[in-house]
Amino acid sequence: MHLTTAQRLDRLKVRTAELSHWRERATLAIENWSFDGEKIAIGQAWPHRKGVVHFAAQASAPAGWPLDETRLQLDLGGESLITLDFGEGQEERFGLDPYHQEFPLKGRNLAISTDSVARFPFGEPNRQPKLNRAQLAWLDMPVHRLHLLLRQIAEAVGALGEHEAVPHILDAAEAALRSLDWPSATEPYISRTANAEWQRKIWELPELVQNPAALSDRERESVAEAHEQLLARLRTLQQRYPQNGELLLTGHAHIDLAWLWPYDETRRKMRRTFHTALSLMERSPDFRFNQSTAQYYAQIEADDPDLFARIKERVADGSWEVIGGMWVEPDTNMPTGESLVRQILYGQRYFEKTFGTRHTICWLPDCFGFSGALPQLLRQGGIESFFTIKVNWSETNRFPYDLFWWEGLDGSRVLSHVFNNPMEGYNGFVQADCFLPTWKNFRAKTLHDTSLLAVGYGDGGGGVTPEMVEREEQLRAFPAIPKARWGKVGDFFTSAHLTASEKRLPTWSGEMYLELHRATLTSQSGVKRLHRRAERALITAETLASIAHMAGAAEPVSLEADWRLTLKNEFHDILPGSSIREVYQDAERELSEVIDHAKTVQRQAMDAIASVLPRGDLADALVVVNPSLDRRSFNAVLADGIILSTADSIEPLSARVFDRAALKPATGLRAPADRLENEHLAAVIGADGAVQSLIHKASGREALAEPANQLWVYPVDKPRNWDAWDIDADYAEVGIRLDKPESIELVEEGPHRASIKVVHRYRDSSIVQHYVLTANSRRLDIETSVDWHDRRALLRSLSPVAIRSRTATFECAYGIVSRPTHTNTSWDAAMFEAAAHRFIDMSEPDFGVALLNDAKYGHSARDNVLGISLVRGPIYPDPLADEGEQRFTYALMPHTGEWHSGGVREEAEDLNQPLIVAVASNLAEASFAALDLTGTPVALSAVKPAEDGDGLVLRVYEPAGCRGGLTVTAAKGWQIGEAITLMEEPQTRDAGPDILPFEVRSWRVRRG
């Protein structure tokens, strides 16, 4: 009877499944187990599941079992690092998880010990863990090989569909099965197949025998012959139907530094995964594995020096590919530019020191969008290639390229590759039905003949299995499917660069916005604020210490250890807010430690500056340091809480001594009832708690079209997937405006500062806001304290401004992004929530309004409305995300001209890093300027000690897209040295002007 291809495939699967029941010739249970020193039996529940537990047992393989055909099979009820001790100093370790449960032996007698947790790979608790299985098994290798080969044929046939080769492949498989001399004796047959799905459905099975008979020698010989004949027929078919396309396989185990488990569990995951990878290399000379992230290697170096030494050996022989060049795989939307620099600087320096090489490939498969600042920084760090797959996750528009030049804000380019594997993305499988769609989806195949494919269980680690290695060997014989071989990612990009030199590849310019996971800009906003403060505290500490050194104090100390902690917490599931609560408890502690230490360094630097300034008779002096490249008005909060807002100013990167008694407030500050006014602004606060009017006095323009700082709660912030990650586009369909405040009162009316307090309540949450205007301020601050106790609701502030513009400006790392305010296209509409650093701005040619912040990232700009997301309340994976008290400030700033001429960035800088003030005595009124930059306006990234101890490093960037001359002058006794890269090495630069649009420039500063 004629069968369809689908029917023949079903029959092949059924007959192939039969073979699996004869894969094990015999088994031997391992009975003598202990759990934390107490006896435990197979099938028994764990006595407890707290923390890390330890199993132990001993076993001996029977003398008649060939050692190379004997396996240890374990299922202990969780994830484990298992140690097999064969005596005489011979040990081997493996990771045990649901995908790695069978292990080879190096000796017949073994002692087994484990470090185990009652968890599954994605952090899920096993609430009823049991010692499920523990046995030695004698594998029937011919059966194993044929069974795997037939499974691979079924997968290939399913993927090839109507391909002309399919009937021939099925013929070969069916012939192999028909050639078998297969057992049929009732008792052993029923016993061997008792675990088959269809047998388990039977009301009552007959009595089963233990260790039923295996294949006879003749039966086994028929299996071996069938396997060889089938492989031969496949090779013959391959000549007729050659393999089509080519994939370079890289073994991989994406390990999220923290996500659905805390970092301590990641440390265990690393050891489990890396031991497994090393065991595969020992048994397969072809296997290749890659692993990014300097943090992981540094941690393994500390936790397991022997494992680290073995990894270094495999790196040296080329089996293990160290990749990435960054400290971690960070989020790139939210870190400041200097943080991205340090990711590369400290990552590359660690890799070079430890492994003798820097990396040329940035490996970021899983981040939630990519800043346009990256290409320039990668190139300065010696990295010329970039890899991700995450842009394939965009829900609305398909990213158009998969082998392309990525062009950054400044025009720098890196060669980029994206593969589109529909079977678990970067956690791919060695299977024909994974290879075929990945190759089909590769759109650049007309330009380049190979795509990458990363394979191995990941996110929770684990990596490649022994079966995957065996699969690759078998698939070499298959017809029609893509060729796939183990290789190095570096070799792929070397070949791709050669193609790019000969052919014109497409270019993607600017940021790569992910049309998904937009809520990661807001979730866990408390940690986001701590991270912002840690970045700023470190940059400022280095700046103050450098100014002190240039003024005559001691050399600054390195803050690399603090930076490393900060960079660790920029990992793409920590900073975005998509992890469990335990992760944020760690992050809050670590970032708070960084801030405290950086503040201590700042105080020490201020004391050092005061100690080298000219002495005098000022008994009550203030030493004020401006840690930016912007001329600043004197706004400061002293340690005793006193607020000063004067008409004085402080030059960039300078220290100035003031007589405290002589300081007078800037004139013009008034606060009659519902109004805050100074010489620059006049704001009216309405009965609804919003800003009814905001007049820019210099121009006489009203900045608002409707009341600003309207607080809205959206109680249906309930995304269909990924609770902490996503904001669905329909969230705004149901909104509740908080326009009936509990109270409004004038609470400050001093000569330096005035403030109106507004209290709102939403269900179980309260929002207290202080509208603040200082005597000399050009912005209206909105100091906010939220006590949040509501779930799955989103709090936002909306400000309709009297501006018409088709685009809005969003600050990003080392520059800006122009985003549409309209929804003309699906690309425009998809950008309904997007990242901004310290400000967004909407401007006409002669006037604009900016929205500044000191701790927020999720923003919107639609029509004439500037929006900022303040707090969310997701319940997964942290049911208490954003619960409790949070403090932050945002501000409204009208200005003349566009944002860059109107001083928006400068005010945002001031909001995020106020002037630093210290009380001193016996000083003279004097000032000291460490550095002076004239010409094209630039912003400060860092002044820091050089990594090699040779002077200081000054790093600046052009923030607005301008170009022109730039002169840098150092204080007396110091000189500006050579231009350098972010790796602090001499920079070759062919450009004309001293600074180009969005360019990041660095120089050494040495004693003259």
Side-chain angles (χ1 to χ4, degrees):
M1 184 178 75
H2 176 73
L3 297 181
T4 66
T5 297
Q7 290 168 331
R8 293 178 72 187
L9 180 57
D10 286 342
R11 182 173 66 187
L12 174 62
K13 291 177 179 178
V14 169
R15 294 181 179 178
T16 297
E18 180 185 35
L19 273 62
S20 67
H21 304 294
W22 274 262
R23 179 176 180 266
E24 294 155 1
R25 297 178 69 168
T27 60
L28 176 66
I30 303 171
E31 302 284 2
N32 58 340
W33 284 94
S34 67
F35 176 97
D36 283 350
E38 301 295 327
K39 289 184 179 180
I40 185 172
I42 296 175
Q44 183 180 337
W46 292 17
H48 68 85
R49 55 185 185 89
K50 296 178 181 177
V52 180
V53 302
H54 307 282
F55 287 90
Q58 292 185 338
S60 295
W65 293 11
L67 200 58
D68 63 347
E69 297 179 3
T70 303
R71 299 290 185 270
L72 171 64
Q73 297 176 340
L74 292 178
D75 179 358
L76 303 179
E79 286 197 276
S80 303
L81 175 65
I82 64 171
T83 300
L84 307 184
D85 186 343
F86 301 101
E88 299 180 353
Q90 190 173 36
E91 284 187 348
E92 190 165 18
R93 291 184 173 87
F94 301 91
L96 169 66
D97 59 47
Y99 316 112
H100 299 80
Q101 295 188 338
E102 187 172 278
F103 312 100
L105 303 184
K106 288 186 173 181
R108 195 165 296 280
N109 301 308
L110 62 150
I112 309 165
S113 58
T114 81
D115 296 336
S116 303
V117 292
R119 301 277 176 176
F120 298 117
F122 282 79
E124 311 100 309
N126 185 351
R127 301 192 185 280
Q128 296 180 320
K130 295 180 180 180
L131 200 171
N132 295 311
R133 182 174 63 151
Q135 63 184 25
L136 295 175
W138 179 8
L139 299 189
D140 199 323
M141 298 308 294
V143 174
H144 165 78
R145 294 187 187 104
L146 181 60
H147 176 247
L148 179 58
L149 183 58
L150 289 168
R151 284 167 55 204
Q152 298 222 81
I153 285 174
E155 292 160 357
V157 167
L160 286 167
E162 299 301 318
H163 193 284
E164 184 182 347
V166 164
H168 303 289
I169 298 173
L170 284 171
D171 284 347
E174 290 165 349
L177 284 166
R178 284 194 295 269
S179 73
L180 298 180
D181 183 0
W182 200 252
S184 60
T186 298
E187 188 176 65
Y189 195 101
I190 291 173
S191 297
R192 280 201 169 267
T193 58
N195 284 326
E197 181 180 359
W198 36 274
Q199 291 283 67
R200 292 199 302 267
K201 296 178 181 178
I202 294 175
W203 181 282
E204 191 73 40
L205 284 171
E207 186 175 350
L208 306 176
V209 297
Q210 295 298 316
N211 274 323
L215 299 183
S216 67
D217 290 344
R218 173 67 202 117
E219 290 164 345
R220 184 169 298 107
E221 185 178 335
S222 76
V223 174
E225 290 173 354
H227 175 264
E228 293 308 311
Q229 291 171 5
L230 180 53
L231 273 178
R233 289 192 63 175
L234 290 173
R235 293 189 184 102
T236 300
L237 283 172
Q238 191 184 88
Q239 295 176 13
R240 182 175 176 183
Y241 303 106
Q243 292 190 334
N244 177 35
E246 185 167 350
L247 300 172
L248 186 147
L249 301 180
T250 176
H252 186 48
H254 185 73
I255 305 174
D256 283 313
L257 186 140
W259 180 27
L260 304 176
W261 53 87
Y263 181 66
D264 281 348
E265 182 63 20
T266 303
R267 293 165 69 174
R268 293 187 283 270
K269 285 179 179 289
M270 285 188 280
R271 295 182 68 201
R272 295 193 289 258
T273 300
F274 296 171
H275 276 295
T276 295
L278 290 169
S279 75
L280 293 174
M281 291 173 189
E282 184 174 331
R283 293 166 175 85
S284 171
D286 296 327
F287 175 61
R288 297 292 180 268
F289 179 80
N290 91 70
Q291 179 63 55
S292 73
T293 304
Q295 168 80 31
Y296 290 170
Y297 293 101
Q299 191 69 67
I300 289 293
E301 189 175 10
D303 289 351
D304 195 335
D306 291 340
L307 172 60
F308 187 70
R310 292 180 62 205
I311 290 172
K312 289 186 72 173
E313 291 174 1
R314 288 302 186 176
V315 171
D317 72 21
S319 303
W320 185 300
E321 187 176 13
V322 184
I323 202 169
M326 301 177 100
W327 190 252
V328 301
E329 294 179 15
D331 175 85
T332 74
N333 288 315
M334 290 175 279
T336 189
E338 188 61 29
S339 282
L340 296 176
V341 166
R342 302 303 174 98
Q343 287 283 356
I344 299 167
L345 173 65
Y346 294 136
Q348 289 283 52
R349 284 177 60 84
Y350 176 84
F351 285 126
E352 184 172 37
K353 176 183 176 182
T354 307
F355 298 104
T357 184
R358 295 180 187 173
H359 301 312
T360 61
I361 301 160
C362 180
W363 181 268
L364 296 179
D366 192 32
C367 301
F368 310 150
F370 303 96
S371 168
L374 268 181
Q376 176 181 195
L377 304 183
L378 295 176
R379 292 304 297 259
Q380 285 202 29
I383 296 172
E384 58 187 15
S385 304
F386 176 81
F387 170 79
T388 188
I389 69 121
K390 203 67 173 189
V391 291
N392 291 327
W393 284 43
S394 285
E395 288 190 312
T396 305
N397 300 284
R398 185 183 184 192
F399 193 80
Y401 311 126
D402 48 24
L403 184 64
F404 59 99
W405 289 107
W406 180 22
E407 183 178 86
L409 298 176
D410 73 315
S412 297
R413 290 184 171 191
V414 289
L415 186 61
S416 302
H417 181 48
V418 176
F419 67 71
N420 185 359
N421 165 30
M423 296 181 69
E424 301 299 327
Y426 49 78
N427 300 320
F429 300 106
V430 182
Q431 296 179 191
D433 51 350
C434 182
F435 294 173
L436 277 157
T438 301
W439 177 254
K440 180 181 178 180
N441 290 338
F442 182 43
R443 283 166 285 177
K445 59 174 67 75
T446 59
L447 299 170
H448 191 63
D449 60 4
T450 307
S451 177
L452 271 177
L453 178 61
V455 297
Y457 290 96
D459 292 336
V464 176
T465 65
E467 182 182 287
M468 291 179 181
V469 175
E470 191 173 358
R471 278 172 168 271
E472 185 271 334
E473 294 176 1
Q474 288 187 346
L475 287 170
R476 296 178 189 182
F478 275 50
I481 67 170
K483 176 183 177 182
R485 301 290 185 271
W486 299 114
K488 298 177 75 170
V489 179
D491 292 339
F492 168 83
F493 275 106
T494 296
S495 175
H497 274 279
L498 180 60
T499 293
S501 70
E502 298 171 345
K503 300 176 182 178
R504 184 172 182 176
L505 299 183
T507 299
W508 180 270
S509 181
E511 72 166 349
M512 286 191 267
Y513 175 87
L514 181 65
E515 296 172 352
L516 193 71
H517 292 357
R518 302 167 183 88
T520 59
L521 303 172
T522 303
S523 295
Q524 299 286 2
S525 56
V527 164
K528 287 176 168 59
R529 182 168 190 262
L530 282 173
H531 170 258
R532 175 86 67 91
R533 290 178 59 204
E535 287 180 311
R536 184 49 51 191
L538 288 172
I539 293 169
T540 300
E542 290 174 337
T543 301
L544 295 179
S546 297
I547 292 173
H549 183 42
M550 294 183 71
E555 293 182 11
V557 298
S558 172
L559 297 181
E560 181 175 354
D562 297 280
W563 271 109
R564 286 187 179 189
L565 271 182
T566 305
L567 302 178
K568 172 192 169 188
N569 284 290
E570 291 172 358
F571 180 76
H572 61 258
D573 272 311
I574 299 180
L575 184 56
S578 48
S579 291
I580 58 172
R581 184 154 195 77
E582 290 84 348
V583 170
Y584 293 104
Q585 291 169 342
D586 288 345
E588 288 168 4
R589 173 179 51 80
E590 291 178 348
L591 292 172
S592 295
E593 290 172 358
V594 168
I595 294 166
D596 289 345
H597 183 237
K599 292 290 187 182
T600 297
V601 173
Q602 290 181 25
R603 288 191 293 272
Q604 293 169 345
M606 291 298 290
D607 290 344
I609 290 170
S611 71
V612 296
L613 289 173
R615 314 309 292 172
D617 57 2
L618 290 181
D620 188 12
L622 293 179
V623 179
V624 182
V625 176
N626 177 357
S628 75
L629 282 177
D630 314 314
R631 190 169 183 268
R632 295 273 197 94
S633 298
F634 190 168
N635 270 307
V637 180
L638 306 188
D640 56 11
I642 291 177
I643 296 162
L644 298 174
S645 181
T646 78
D648 303 283
S649 63
I650 299 91
E651 296 302 312
L653 292 180
S654 69
R656 182 176 173 185
V657 179
F658 290 91
D659 180 356
R660 184 171 179 175
L663 290 170
K664 305 297 180 185
T667 59
L669 180 63
R670 299 189 307 121
D674 60 353
R675 188 178 181 91
L676 300 173
E677 183 175 358
N678 65 12
E679 290 188 350
H680 307 292
L681 299 176
V684 176
I685 310 304
D688 59 357
V691 185
Q692 299 297 311
S693 173
L694 184 60
I695 301 295
H696 181 258
K697 287 189 171 181
S699 65
R701 281 191 59 164
E702 169 62 67
L704 307 180
E706 298 175 41
N709 190 37
Q710 300 176 24
L711 293 181
W712 286 81
V713 177
Y714 301 96
V716 193
D717 182 19
K718 301 176 181 180
R720 65 192 185 282
N721 292 309
W722 305 102
D723 200 35
W725 290 257
D726 283 352
I727 296 177
D728 277 2
D730 72 341
Y731 79 90
E733 295 296 320
V734 179
I736 300 168
R737 185 178 170 196
L738 305 184
D739 56 1
K740 296 178 177 59
E742 288 186 350
S743 62
I744 302 177
E745 59 179 319
L746 179 66
V747 292
E748 288 182 82
E749 197 177 358
H752 291 274
R753 168 174 151 137
S755 174
I756 294 175
K757 177 182 177 182
V758 180
V759 179
H760 293 278
R761 179 166 293 280
Y762 171 75
R763 296 182 180 175
D764 290 331
S765 302
S766 62
I767 302 100
V768 178
Q769 296 195 310
H770 288 81
Y771 291 102
V772 175
L773 192 65
T774 58
N776 64 18
S777 182
R778 298 175 183 273
R779 65 179 194 257
L780 177 67
D781 287 353
I782 306 167
E783 296 179 356
T784 304
S785 175
V786 176
D787 191 16
W788 193 247
H789 300 284
D790 287 279
R791 297 295 89 196
R792 306 194 85 183
L794 170 64
L795 176 66
R796 304 195 82 230
S797 168
L798 301 181
S799 296
V801 296
I803 299 293
R804 178 170 175 79
S805 177
R806 289 175 53 79
T807 61
T809 299
F810 287 54
E811 189 189 34
C812 67
Y814 289 146
I816 52 101
V817 179
S818 293
R819 305 193 191 278
T821 59
H822 53 78
T823 57
N824 283 359
T825 70
S826 58
W827 294 85
D828 302 330
M831 210 174 287
F832 60 85
E833 182 90 349
H837 281 197
R838 298 171 298 182
F839 70 85
I840 62 174
D841 180 87
M842 198 178 294
S843 292
E844 295 168 355
D846 60 344
F847 186 79
V849 181
L851 176 62
L852 321 178
N853 77 86
D854 73 350
K856 298 298 169 185
Y857 295 95
H859 292 77
S860 62
R862 281 289 181 253
D863 298 322
N864 68 325
V865 180
L866 300 177
I868 184 169
S869 295
L870 305 178
V871 180
R872 299 185 70 232
I875 59 173
Y876 178 81
D878 177 6
L880 297 177
D882 286 324
E883 183 78 2
E885 188 171 351
Q886 298 178 57
R887 295 179 180 273
F888 48 87
T889 299
Y890 53 103
L892 291 166
M893 180 190 169
H895 57 85
T896 54
E898 296 189 272
W899 71 270
H900 50 87
S901 61
V904 170
R905 182 196 53 76
E906 292 85 344
E907 284 292 334
E909 175 83 19
D910 184 73
L911 175 62
N912 281 266
Q913 179 53 72
L915 298 171
I916 308 296
V917 182
V919 176
S921 59
N922 300 320
L923 293 180
E925 288 193 61
S927 64
F928 170 78
L931 293 158
D932 180 54
L933 283 80
T934 58
T936 304
V938 293
L940 181 70
S941 184
V943 188
K944 61 178 287 291
E947 297 297 324
D948 61 6
D950 183 12
L952 303 173
V953 170
L954 167 66
R955 183 162 27 255
V956 304
Y957 67 99
E958 195 291 310
C962 301
R963 72 177 71 209
L966 181 65
T967 301
V968 186
T969 306
K972 184 179 179 181
W974 291 81
Q975 64 180 7
I976 303 301
E978 70 273 17
I980 55 177
T981 66
L982 64 83
M983 293 303 299
E984 303 183 9
E985 296 170 341
Q987 181 183 43
T988 301
R989 187 173 174 277
D990 298 327
D994 296 315
I995 195 82
L996 295 172
F998 303 116
E999 187 178 13
V1000 178
R1001 296 212 62 191
S1002 306
W1003 297 269
R1004 281 195 188 269
V1005 182
R1006 296 188 179 96
R1007 291 190 181 276

